[in-house]
């Protein structure tokens, strides 16, 4: 886009700046040709977008999120479109009592009350991924920080609700797999 703008400015100089200046008037043809080449290169380079593997491109034009996504690979798009890349790979979000482990620094473990009224500290990792066709609506409704707006709060709430149905001993022994499934 910078080459496009530079070429446009140079074209304006070639058209309007050469009228009173005899030195520039001699170079008007060359300036015009160079500016047209810069505009063409700028246009074509800003129209070609590469989406990396494991990503999808969400197209935004003048603040409006367009439906449909750009899959991985090379694409020709409107040069005015801003393409936001979102990962569709499996990601994890860890909530742990260990200081430097997980999405947040410090103790981020989930403290829940079990059925028998005891406080249980749970470290967990959740695996998730963005469904490619849902990426535009996720970007429109949540933005790029969907991890902290949806994944973390819903997970914490779900774990608290599920853990309240079990005794503390059961959570870590015979009912652990059932609890994980919930």
């Amino acid at each position: 886009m910078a080459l496009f703008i530079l070429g446009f400015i140079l074209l304006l100089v070639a058209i309007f700046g050469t009228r009173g200046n005899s030195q520039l008037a001699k170079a008007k043809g060359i300036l015009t040709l160079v500016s047209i080449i810069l505009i063409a290169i700028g246009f074509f380079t800003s129209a070609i977008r590469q989406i990396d593997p494991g990503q999808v491109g969400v197209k935004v034009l003048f603040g409006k999120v367009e439906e449909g996504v750009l899959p991985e690979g090379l694409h020709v798009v409107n040069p005015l479109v801003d393409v936001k890349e979102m990962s569709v790979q499996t990601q994890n979000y860890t909530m742990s009592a260990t200081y430097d482990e997980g999405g947040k620094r410090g103790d981020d473990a989930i403290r829940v009350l079990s059925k028998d009224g005891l406080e249980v500290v749970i470290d967990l990792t959740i695996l998730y991924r963005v469904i490619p066709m849902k990426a535009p609506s996720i970007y429109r409704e949540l933005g790029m920080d969907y991890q902290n707006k949806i994944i973390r709060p819903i997970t914490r709430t779900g774990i608290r609700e599920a853990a309240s149905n079990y005794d503390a001993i059961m959570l870590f022994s015979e009912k652990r797999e059932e609890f994980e499934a919930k």
Side-chain angles (χ1 to χ4, degrees):
M1 193 56 119
L3 287 175
F4 181 81
I5 293 170
L6 180 63
F8 188 72
I9 291 171
L10 195 58
L11 182 63
L12 291 176
V13 168
I15 293 171
F16 298 111
T18 58
R19 290 185 180 167
N21 190 335
S22 62
Q23 292 285 39
L24 283 178
K26 292 177 185 176
K28 181 176 182 176
I30 294 173
L31 281 175
T32 304
L33 180 64
V34 169
S35 64
I36 290 172
I37 290 171
L38 283 176
I39 288 171
I41 291 172
F43 179 80
F44 287 117
T45 58
S46 63
I48 296 173
R49 303 289 168 90
Q50 177 183 335
I51 306 299
D52 294 328
Q55 307 281 320
V56 292
V58 177
K59 300 176 282 184
V60 181
L61 180 63
F62 300 122
K64 182 180 182 289
V65 177
E66 295 181 5
E67 290 303 317
V69 295
L70 298 173
E72 59 189 43
L74 209 55
H75 301 277
V76 178
V77 297
N78 179 345
L80 300 176
V81 167
D82 186 20
V83 178
K84 304 288 185 183
E85 286 192 29
M86 293 181 75
S87 176
V88 292
Q89 296 173 329
T90 300
Q91 300 176 59
N92 67 35
Y93 189 84
T94 300
M95 291 174 254
S96 174
T98 306
Y99 176 76
D100 228 3
E101 182 181 24
K104 291 195 171 245
R105 292 202 181 272
D107 186 357
D108 192 34
I110 301 174
R111 285 164 173 60
V112 298
L113 288 177
S114 61
K115 186 177 181 180
D116 54 359
L118 296 174
E119 182 181 71
V120 178
V121 178
I122 299 175
D123 285 2
L124 79 108
T125 297
I126 184 165
L127 299 175
Y128 67 94
R129 69 179 186 89
V130 171
I131 298 169
M133 296 314 294
K134 300 279 185 180
S137 63
I138 290 171
Y139 182 75
R140 181 184 310 108
E141 296 166 17
L142 302 171
M144 296 299 277
D145 192 28
Y146 55 88
Q147 231 180 15
N148 289 321
K149 292 180 180 176
I150 291 292
I151 304 295
R152 185 173 189 273
I154 287 177
T155 301
R156 293 179 78 84
T157 301
I159 293 296
R160 285 191 179 107
E161 287 176 9
S164 67
N165 296 322
Y166 297 96
D167 292 332
I169 300 293
M170 300 277 188
L171 282 172
F172 297 104
S173 60
E174 56 196 63
K175 298 285 185 175
R176 179 180 176 146
E177 286 183 23
E178 183 181 316
F179 170 65
E180 286 177 0
K182 283 187 178 182

